[in-house]
């Protein structure tokens, strides 16, 4: 499996309270898979400086890439940038390039002190451009810091995706059958053991007409997937 790993840190009380739905993790996860990067963890945390610092400090050592969403706006509770600065013991300063971008974006007199906070980030940050509302995200070390608004986050991710280095892309195929998961669980386990670096997941479903199981086979080797699928099809037919 891929030696390039990642974690997503979703930052925001509004996610934890249920007021806002997190769709960003799903988007990032799908795109990482296509880049050959193995997503190993997704966590949602509150807008709390100590919590953000602890998670960034820990995860930046543990994974190849860290992606954060949320907490980089102009309000008092947008503390992601400041917290990440402290996590890496870096100065939290106005980034001149970010300041120029925002100053040019807002009409005269509207680039106030609150909005200027969006230009502050860890010293040495590389900007992640935002073509929608101008306020940039940033990259520092192996941490990519995105906005929380999905459309903005997606545009930011697309701007950096070509720079991500990934491993071998994991391939997959899915088969669906009207058989309960419990009836084939041991067979799935036995098939998985016959192949190197193969993962077989089973996902039961229920609807008014029937119930059954969707089975997803994942591997770096498409030939192995096809062979496992052939073995599984014979078992299902029996």
């Amino acid at each position: 499996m891929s030696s390039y790993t990642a974690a997503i840190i979703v930052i925001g009380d509004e996610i934890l309270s249920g007021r806002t739905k997190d769709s960003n993790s799903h988007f990032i996860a799908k795109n990482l898979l296509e880049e050959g990067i193995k997503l190993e963890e997704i966590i949602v945390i509150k807008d709390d400086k100590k919590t953000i610092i602890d998670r960034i400090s820990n995860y930046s050592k543990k994974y190849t890439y860290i992606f954060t969403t949320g907490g980089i706006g102009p309000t008092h509770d947008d503390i992601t940038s400041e917290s990440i600065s402290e996590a890496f013991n870096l100065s939290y300063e106005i980034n001149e390039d970010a300041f120029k971008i925002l100053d040019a974006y807002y009409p005269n007199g509207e680039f106030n002190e609150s909005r200027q906070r969006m230009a502050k980030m860890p010293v040495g940050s590389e900007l992640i451009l935002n073509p929608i509302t101008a306020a940039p995200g940033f990259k520092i070390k192996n941490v990519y810091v995105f906005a929380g608004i999905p459309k903005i986050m997606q545009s930011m991710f697309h701007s950096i995706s070509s720079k991500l280095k990934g491993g071998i892309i994991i391939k997959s195929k899915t088969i669906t059958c009207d058989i309960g998961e419990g009836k084939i669980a041991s067979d799935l386990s036995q098939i998985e053991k016959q192949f190197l670096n193969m993962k077989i997941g089973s996902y039961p479903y229920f609807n008014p007409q029937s119930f059954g199981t969707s089975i997803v086979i994942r591997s770096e080797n498409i030939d192995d997937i096809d062979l496992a699928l052939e073995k599984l099809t014979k078992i299902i037919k029996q």
Side-chain angles (χ1 to χ4, degrees):
M1 296 295 180
S2 176
S3 59
Y4 295 89
T5 59
I8 300 171
I9 303 175
V10 181
I11 302 169
D13 294 340
E14 70 279 5
I15 303 293
L16 290 170
S17 69
R19 292 193 304 271
T20 302
K21 182 179 179 181
D22 171 40
S23 61
N24 291 331
S25 296
H26 177 257
F27 174 87
I28 295 173
K30 281 182 60 181
N31 280 272
L32 292 180
L33 184 65
E34 293 173 2
E35 298 292 338
I37 298 170
K38 184 182 179 185
L39 179 62
E40 295 199 342
E41 194 167 350
I42 300 172
I43 189 168
V44 182
I45 62 175
K46 59 185 177 179
D47 293 303
D48 175 76
K49 182 178 288 189
K50 184 180 184 304
T51 304
I52 297 170
I53 290 171
D54 287 347
R55 294 298 180 179
I56 292 294
S57 298
N58 182 19
Y59 285 16
S60 64
K61 299 170 186 174
K62 188 176 179 181
Y63 299 113
T64 312
Y65 300 106
I66 309 300
F67 302 95
T68 77
T69 66
I72 59 172
T75 60
H76 72 282
D77 58 344
D78 289 312
I79 58 173
T80 298
S81 301
E82 183 178 357
S83 301
I84 291 175
S85 298
E86 291 193 30
F88 291 132
N89 293 313
L90 296 170
S91 297
Y92 176 57
E93 301 176 0
I94 291 285
N95 180 292
E96 291 186 6
D97 291 333
F99 190 93
K100 290 176 183 176
I101 289 170
L102 289 162
D103 191 30
Y105 176 79
Y106 287 104
N108 285 339
E110 293 190 20
F111 187 37
N112 56 34
E113 186 175 348
S114 292
R115 285 170 171 161
Q116 289 174 24
R117 290 184 71 244
M118 295 188 291
K120 295 187 75 174
M121 56 191 66
V123 65
S125 294
E126 178 184 336
L127 296 188
I128 300 175
L129 298 182
N130 169 8
I132 298 177
T133 60
F138 63 88
K139 172 186 176 291
I140 187 71
K141 299 185 183 293
N142 63 337
V143 179
Y144 292 79
V145 181
F146 299 135
I149 299 172
K151 285 186 178 179
I152 299 175
M153 188 283 302
Q154 291 172 22
S155 69
M156 286 180 169
F157 186 91
H158 284 312
S159 74
I160 61 94
S161 60
S162 62
K163 301 175 184 178
L164 299 176
K165 186 176 181 180
I168 297 172
I169 297 173
I170 304 301
K171 304 168 184 68
S172 70
K173 287 191 176 183
T174 302
I175 185 171
T176 301
C177 59
D178 294 329
I179 297 175
E181 183 181 32
K183 289 186 177 181
I184 54 175
S186 61
D187 295 305
L188 298 180
S189 178
Q190 290 301 315
I191 292 174
E192 185 179 84
K193 290 176 182 177
Q194 295 173 28
F195 297 90
L196 183 67
N197 292 329
M198 176 175 286
K199 293 293 182 183
I200 300 178
S202 61
Y203 309 95
Y205 64 83
F206 303 90
N207 59 49
Q209 287 75 39
S210 64
F211 70 94
T213 306
S214 290
I215 303 159
V216 182
I217 305 173
R218 299 181 179 89
S219 173
E220 298 172 359
N221 190 322
I222 193 66
D223 292 333
D224 283 352
I225 292 176
D226 288 338
L227 184 55
L229 198 59
E230 182 181 334
K231 291 174 179 287
L232 181 58
T233 301
K234 288 180 180 178
I235 291 170
I236 290 171
K237 287 181 178 179
Q238 288 173 2

